Amino acid sequence: TARWHARVMVVCALVNLALSCYMTADHFVWAAPAEGRACDFNAHVSCSSVLESEWAYVLNVPVSVLGIAYNVVTLVAAAQYAATLNPLLGAPLALLHAAGVGFVVYLVAAELVIGALCPWCTLVHAVLLVSTYSAVRVRAWASPWLLFERFHMLAVLALFAFALPVALFNALDLRPGGAGGADDALAKTPLDLRCFRAANVRMFGKSTCGACALQKKYFLAGDVPDGVFVECEGNTDCFQLDIQALPTWVKFENASDIATELDRSVGVKTVPELKRFSGCLS
């Protein structure tokens, strides 16, 4: 029945709103992916590899933030439909879900390009497809002018919900890594690899580690320099150094002698952070 489908859309919007809020908090508040996210299972099933890639931003806004905006609008429309069963609401609901499916196609294509699957994103996609089925079942068409006349406040809400984060993220530079100041200056120049190797800095990780894959593919623009990455799988050096979180960066006085450790830092690092850690500030 129409009411049953309306309830399905409301529940799906609530679930995806909660997931979008969780991923946004994971992105900003909990400082992931310093030691990897809970959904980083390996290099190919990793939220970090996807959510920290350039594909995870649209107009400089993280897709999880856009997901919050989308699900708020969808929730309002679905709740209004559940309360009134107004058949004219079927059209805006169908259009909203069509836009959502289009975005799912974009994100799945991005995962194929990146070579990694984001488990939380996949759950959001599955829930959206369930909701889309209900939206298709209750769809109804009318003239665009009639729809705008009846639901212009919903259109205003949608415009505001998407325009606000775009304006804020671009005006205030809220994107992680866009802190400005000294970090901006350090980020503009690549690592001096000769200095980096001479500083005896090593990255300890595993080829199956999602956060390690992110460090290689994203922050170091392709890969960790030769001689810097140390594979911990089956390596007794990692046990002797008590490497407990991956990746772990260690600076040695003499790289051939692990007993000469000078400093260490855990987690994925930006180029400015690596420059400060190694002392290669040029």
Side-chain angles (χ1 to χ4, degrees):
T1 65
R3 191 172 298 279
W4 186 86
H5 287 298
R7 290 170 178 168
V8 168
M9 288 186 284
V10 169
V11 171
C12 288
L14 284 170
V15 170
N16 276 352
L17 179 59
L19 287 169
S20 296
C21 289
Y22 172 83
M23 287 189 284
T24 299
D26 197 14
H27 197 75
F28 292 101
V29 180
W30 300 320
E35 298 180 35
R37 291 180 166 90
C39 53
D40 290 340
F41 298 103
N42 55 53
H44 300 292
V45 181
S46 166
C47 292
S48 295
S49 296
V50 177
L51 295 178
E52 299 299 326
S53 73
E54 60 181 329
W55 295 88
Y57 292 84
V58 176
L59 300 176
N60 284 327
V61 183
V63 292
S64 58
V65 175
L66 294 176
I68 292 175
Y70 174 82
N71 286 296
V72 165
V73 176
T74 304
L75 177 60
V76 170
Q80 188 175 354
Y81 180 75
T84 64
L85 292 182
N86 185 343
L88 288 178
L89 271 166
L93 280 168
L95 291 173
L96 277 169
H97 283 81
V101 170
F103 209 68
V104 166
V105 172
Y106 163 80
L107 290 173
V108 170
E111 289 177 325
L112 293 174
V113 172
I114 296 166
L117 176 72
C118 169
W120 288 130
C121 307
T122 302
L123 180 57
V124 169
H125 301 167
V127 173
L128 178 63
L129 291 178
V130 171
S131 185
T132 299
Y133 172 77
S134 288
V136 169
R137 294 299 301 270
V138 301
R139 72 189 186 281
W141 303 112
S143 72
W145 174 250
L146 176 61
L147 292 174
F148 181 77
E149 183 182 15
R150 294 289 183 87
F151 309 116
H152 60 276
M153 291 305 298
L154 183 62
V156 170
L157 173 64
L159 180 62
F160 179 78
F162 288 100
L164 179 62
V166 171
L168 287 177
F169 273 81
N170 284 276
L172 303 180
D173 198 16
L174 296 178
R175 176 169 171 166
D183 273 7
D184 270 355
L186 289 175
K188 288 179 180 177
T189 55
L191 283 170
D192 182 341
L193 297 185
R194 286 190 299 177
C195 174
F196 197 72
R197 291 192 186 95
N200 295 319
V201 175
R202 299 292 182 266
M203 171 187 161
F204 291 84
K206 292 183 179 180
S207 57
T208 56
C209 159
C212 302
L214 172 62
Q215 179 76 86
K216 293 179 180 180
K217 293 181 179 179
Y218 185 58
F219 289 120
L220 289 178
D223 207 348
V224 174
D226 290 340
V228 173
F229 177 72
V230 178
E231 172 62 56
C232 278
E233 187 66 44
N235 190 335
T236 57
D237 287 350
C238 297
F239 177 77
Q240 293 178 34
L241 287 168
D242 193 27
I243 303 294
Q244 297 184 358
L246 302 175
T248 292
W249 292 90
V250 181
K251 186 176 183 179
F252 299 95
E253 182 178 354
N254 179 356
S256 61
D257 183 359
I258 63 173
T260 63
E261 178 182 340
L262 298 174
D263 194 10
R264 72 169 58 194
S265 184
V266 175
V268 173
K269 303 300 174 188
T270 63
V271 169
E273 287 173 329
L274 287 175
K275 286 184 175 183
R276 282 193 291 268
F277 181 72
S278 65
C280 301
L281 297 175
S282 59

